[in-house]
Structure formats: structure tokens, C-alpha cells
Amino acid sequence: MPPRKELHHKDEFDLSKSMEKTSAGTGIECESMTVATAARTTRRSHKIIPALCLFLASLAGLAFAAYPMYVIRPFRAQEPAALGRALWVLLHNKPPSLILACVITALALLLWRRSGWMAKLLLAPAMGIAILAAASTWINPFEHMFHPLGEPKYLAADRAGIDPNDMVIAVTLGGESRAYPIREMGYHHIVNDRLHGLPMVVTY
């Protein structure tokens, strides 16, 4: 009987050793998995910085394309220096905007597969904004904003809905008079009209 007891104690000792080895191995595996997960998270978080840079670059491109529209707009005094800069940008903004859109789109597509969802939230709008900015340089918004008024309609002065503080351009020819409100001229800039049987162009 005693030899059996010693064998039983020995089996328990061996079992405890194997359990310690198993728990140690499991701990090492869990630790390695945690380190790997942290490494992947760190790598993906590092992709946010270039994605943010591309997003800011796209906003800069949009501001560059929209600068002429901001300066040359109705009902705003335009300084000569600002107007000169706006006209220069309007004449030269197509090639830089197109190149910037191509670069941003190419870099965003390269980063897309290796980026996390937070970086993709910046990369997607960066590409859209860059393409929109480049496309807007090929559209002349002033043709839509300032189009001539070819057939104006007129009312008698006592029936016209004009505020006392409204300014008008007044034209008198051969005893006939017309008044063109500045708030309308600010959008059209040109009115083709006839007064006293003569054609005329009123501009502001």
C-alpha cells in the first residue's frame, strides 16, 4: 500500500507541473496577441496623420479655387489689391488645382487599404473635395451670377416696392425717366433697355 500512495503523490506533482507549464504558455500567447494587437493599432493610428494632411491639403485647394468667387461677389467693396489677386488666381488656378487633385487622389488610394476606419473618414472627403475644387476651376460662376437683364419690367414710382433707403440708378432722356435699383443691378450688372426710342445699356 505505501508504494501506491507514493505513486499517487508523484502523479499529482507531475500534473501540477504540467498545469503550470500550460498556464505559462497561455500567458505568453495572450501577451504576444496583446502586443500584436497594440502594434496593429499603432500602425493604423499612424495612418491618421497622413490622412489628416491630405484632408487639410484638399481644403487648401478648395479655398484657392473659391478665392476669386469670395472677392468678386455682389454688394461688397473690392479693394484693388484683392481684386488683382483674385483675377490672377482666376487666370492661373486650373493647372495647380488639377495637379493637386491628382496627387491627393493617388496618395489617398495608396493609403486606403492599410488605413483604419478613422483614416478612411478623412481620406474619402479629401478625394471628393480635391476633385470638386479642380472641377470648379473649369466653371465660370460669374456667367451664372451676373447675366444681363434683357427685358426689364417697370412699374410706376408710386407702385414700386422700394424701401426709402434703397439706392437707384436714375436715367432721364427726352422727358422719360427710368430708375434701376442697385439691389437688382448688383446681380445683373448690365441691363439692355430702350428709353425715348433709343437703345441703351445701363451698367453698375
Side-chain angles (χ1 to χ4, degrees), residues 27-52:
I28 293 173
E29 289 178 0
C30 293
E31 185 177 356
S32 63
M33 291 177 61
T34 304
V35 172
T37 304
R40 285 196 301 269
T41 304
T42 304
R43 285 196 300 269
R44 288 191 173 183
S45 64
H46 288 167
K47 298 296 188 302
I48 296 177
I49 296 176
L52 180 60

Short mmCIF file of all heavy atoms in Angstrom, two decimals, residues 27-52:
data_model
loop_
_atom_site.label_atom_id
_atom_site.label_comp_id
_atom_site.label_asym_id
_atom_site.label_seq_id
_atom_site.Cartn_x
_atom_site.Cartn_y
_atom_site.Cartn_z
N GLY A 27 -0.21 32.26 -20.98
CA GLY A 27 0.11 33.66 -20.65
C GLY A 27 1.00 34.28 -21.70
O GLY A 27 0.83 35.44 -22.08
N ILE A 28 1.98 33.50 -22.19
CA ILE A 28 2.87 34.03 -23.23
C ILE A 28 2.10 34.29 -24.51
O ILE A 28 2.29 35.32 -25.18
CB ILE A 28 4.02 33.03 -23.47
CG1 ILE A 28 4.92 32.96 -22.24
CG2 ILE A 28 4.84 33.44 -24.69
CD1 ILE A 28 5.97 31.89 -22.31
N GLU A 29 1.18 33.37 -24.88
CA GLU A 29 0.39 33.56 -26.09
C GLU A 29 -0.50 34.79 -25.97
O GLU A 29 -0.62 35.58 -26.90
CB GLU A 29 -0.46 32.32 -26.36
CG GLU A 29 0.36 31.11 -26.81
CD GLU A 29 -0.51 29.90 -27.03
OE1 GLU A 29 -1.74 30.04 -26.81
OE2 GLU A 29 0.01 28.85 -27.40
N CYS A 30 -1.16 34.96 -24.83
CA CYS A 30 -2.02 36.13 -24.62
C CYS A 30 -1.22 37.42 -24.69
O CYS A 30 -1.65 38.41 -25.27
CB CYS A 30 -2.75 36.04 -23.27
SG CYS A 30 -3.97 34.71 -23.20
N GLU A 31 -0.02 37.38 -24.09
CA GLU A 31 0.82 38.57 -24.11
C GLU A 31 1.26 38.90 -25.53
O GLU A 31 1.26 40.06 -25.94
CB GLU A 31 2.05 38.34 -23.21
CG GLU A 31 2.92 39.59 -23.09
CD GLU A 31 4.08 39.35 -22.13
OE1 GLU A 31 4.13 38.28 -21.53
OE2 GLU A 31 4.92 40.26 -22.02
N SER A 32 1.62 37.85 -26.29
CA SER A 32 2.04 38.09 -27.68
C SER A 32 0.88 38.61 -28.52
O SER A 32 1.05 39.48 -29.37
CB SER A 32 2.60 36.80 -28.28
OG SER A 32 1.60 35.81 -28.33
N MET A 33 -0.34 38.08 -28.28
CA MET A 33 -1.50 38.58 -29.01
C MET A 33 -1.79 40.03 -28.66
O MET A 33 -2.14 40.84 -29.51
CB MET A 33 -2.73 37.71 -28.70
CG MET A 33 -2.65 36.31 -29.29
SD MET A 33 -4.08 35.31 -28.83
CE MET A 33 -5.39 36.25 -29.56
N THR A 34 -1.64 40.39 -27.39
CA THR A 34 -1.86 41.77 -26.97
C THR A 34 -0.85 42.71 -27.62
O THR A 34 -1.20 43.80 -28.09
CB THR A 34 -1.76 41.88 -25.45
OG1 THR A 34 -2.68 40.97 -24.85
CG2 THR A 34 -2.06 43.29 -24.98
N VAL A 35 0.42 42.26 -27.65
CA VAL A 35 1.46 43.08 -28.28
C VAL A 35 1.20 43.26 -29.76
O VAL A 35 1.35 44.35 -30.31
CB VAL A 35 2.85 42.44 -28.03
CG1 VAL A 35 3.92 43.16 -28.84
CG2 VAL A 35 3.18 42.48 -26.55
N ALA A 36 0.78 42.16 -30.43
CA ALA A 36 0.49 42.25 -31.86
C ALA A 36 -0.69 43.17 -32.14
O ALA A 36 -0.66 43.98 -33.07
CB ALA A 36 0.20 40.86 -32.42
N THR A 37 -1.74 43.07 -31.30
CA THR A 37 -2.90 43.95 -31.48
C THR A 37 -2.52 45.41 -31.26
O THR A 37 -2.94 46.30 -32.00
CB THR A 37 -4.01 43.55 -30.50
OG1 THR A 37 -4.35 42.18 -30.71
CG2 THR A 37 -5.25 44.42 -30.71
N ALA A 38 -1.71 45.66 -30.22
CA ALA A 38 -1.27 47.03 -29.97
C ALA A 38 -0.42 47.56 -31.11
O ALA A 38 -0.52 48.72 -31.49
CB ALA A 38 -0.47 47.08 -28.66
N ALA A 39 0.41 46.67 -31.70
CA ALA A 39 1.26 47.10 -32.82
C ALA A 39 0.40 47.46 -34.03
O ALA A 39 0.65 48.46 -34.71
CB ALA A 39 2.25 45.99 -33.18
N ARG A 40 -0.65 46.63 -34.30
CA ARG A 40 -1.53 46.94 -35.43
C ARG A 40 -2.27 48.24 -35.19
O ARG A 40 -2.42 49.06 -36.11
CB ARG A 40 -2.52 45.79 -35.64
CG ARG A 40 -1.92 44.55 -36.30
CD ARG A 40 -3.01 43.64 -36.82
NE ARG A 40 -3.90 43.20 -35.77
CZ ARG A 40 -3.73 42.09 -35.06
NH1 ARG A 40 -2.68 41.32 -35.30
NH2 ARG A 40 -4.58 41.74 -34.14
N THR A 41 -2.73 48.44 -33.96
CA THR A 41 -3.44 49.68 -33.64
C THR A 41 -2.53 50.88 -33.81
O THR A 41 -2.94 51.93 -34.32
CB THR A 41 -3.98 49.63 -32.20
OG1 THR A 41 -4.80 48.47 -32.05
CG2 THR A 41 -4.79 50.88 -31.88
N THR A 42 -1.27 50.74 -33.39
CA THR A 42 -0.32 51.84 -33.52
C THR A 42 -0.05 52.16 -34.99
O THR A 42 0.00 53.32 -35.39
CB THR A 42 1.00 51.50 -32.80
OG1 THR A 42 0.72 51.20 -31.44
CG2 THR A 42 1.97 52.66 -32.88
N ARG A 43 0.13 51.09 -35.80
CA ARG A 43 0.38 51.32 -37.22
C ARG A 43 -0.80 52.01 -37.89
O ARG A 43 -0.62 52.90 -38.72
CB ARG A 43 0.67 49.98 -37.91
CG ARG A 43 2.05 49.41 -37.61
CD ARG A 43 2.41 48.32 -38.61
NE ARG A 43 1.47 47.22 -38.57
CZ ARG A 43 1.62 46.14 -37.80
NH1 ARG A 43 2.66 46.04 -36.99
NH2 ARG A 43 0.73 45.16 -37.83
N ARG A 44 -2.00 51.58 -37.52
CA ARG A 44 -3.17 52.21 -38.14
C ARG A 44 -3.35 53.65 -37.66
O ARG A 44 -3.79 54.52 -38.41
CB ARG A 44 -4.43 51.40 -37.82
CG ARG A 44 -4.48 50.08 -38.59
CD ARG A 44 -5.82 49.41 -38.47
NE ARG A 44 -5.92 48.24 -39.33
CZ ARG A 44 -7.00 47.52 -39.45
NH1 ARG A 44 -8.09 47.83 -38.77
NH2 ARG A 44 -7.02 46.46 -40.26
N SER A 45 -3.04 53.89 -36.38
CA SER A 45 -3.16 55.26 -35.88
C SER A 45 -2.16 56.18 -36.55
O SER A 45 -2.42 57.37 -36.74
CB SER A 45 -2.96 55.28 -34.36
OG SER A 45 -1.65 54.88 -34.02
N HIS A 46 -1.00 55.62 -36.94
CA HIS A 46 -0.02 56.44 -37.64
C HIS A 46 -0.53 56.85 -39.02
O HIS A 46 -0.08 57.85 -39.56
CB HIS A 46 1.30 55.68 -37.78
CG HIS A 46 2.03 55.55 -36.48
ND1 HIS A 46 3.10 54.70 -36.30
CD2 HIS A 46 1.84 56.17 -35.28
CE1 HIS A 46 3.54 54.80 -35.05
NE2 HIS A 46 2.79 55.68 -34.42
N LYS A 47 -1.46 56.08 -39.62
CA LYS A 47 -2.02 56.43 -40.91
C LYS A 47 -2.96 57.63 -40.82
O LYS A 47 -3.30 58.22 -41.85
CB LYS A 47 -2.78 55.23 -41.50
CG LYS A 47 -1.93 54.00 -41.75
CD LYS A 47 -0.87 54.25 -42.80
CE LYS A 47 -0.15 52.98 -43.20
NZ LYS A 47 0.49 52.28 -42.10
N ILE A 48 -3.42 57.98 -39.62
CA ILE A 48 -4.33 59.11 -39.48
C ILE A 48 -3.62 60.42 -39.80
O ILE A 48 -4.21 61.34 -40.38
CB ILE A 48 -4.91 59.14 -38.05
CG1 ILE A 48 -5.76 57.89 -37.81
CG2 ILE A 48 -5.76 60.39 -37.83
CD1 ILE A 48 -6.32 57.80 -36.42
N ILE A 49 -2.34 60.51 -39.46
CA ILE A 49 -1.60 61.76 -39.68
C ILE A 49 -1.49 62.08 -41.17
O ILE A 49 -1.84 63.20 -41.58
CB ILE A 49 -0.22 61.69 -39.01
CG1 ILE A 49 -0.40 61.57 -37.50
CG2 ILE A 49 0.61 62.91 -39.37
CD1 ILE A 49 0.90 61.40 -36.74
N PRO A 50 -1.04 61.15 -42.03
CA PRO A 50 -1.03 61.49 -43.46
C PRO A 50 -2.43 61.70 -44.03
O PRO A 50 -2.62 62.54 -44.91
CB PRO A 50 -0.34 60.29 -44.12
CG PRO A 50 -0.37 59.20 -43.12
CD PRO A 50 -0.38 59.85 -41.78
N ALA A 51 -3.43 60.97 -43.51
CA ALA A 51 -4.80 61.20 -43.97
C ALA A 51 -5.27 62.60 -43.60
O ALA A 51 -5.93 63.27 -44.41
CB ALA A 51 -5.73 60.14 -43.37
N LEU A 52 -4.93 63.05 -42.40
CA LEU A 52 -5.29 64.40 -41.98
C LEU A 52 -4.58 65.44 -42.84
O LEU A 52 -5.17 66.47 -43.20
CB LEU A 52 -4.94 64.59 -40.51
CG LEU A 52 -5.26 65.96 -39.90
CD1 LEU A 52 -6.74 66.26 -39.99
CD2 LEU A 52 -4.80 66.03 -38.45
#
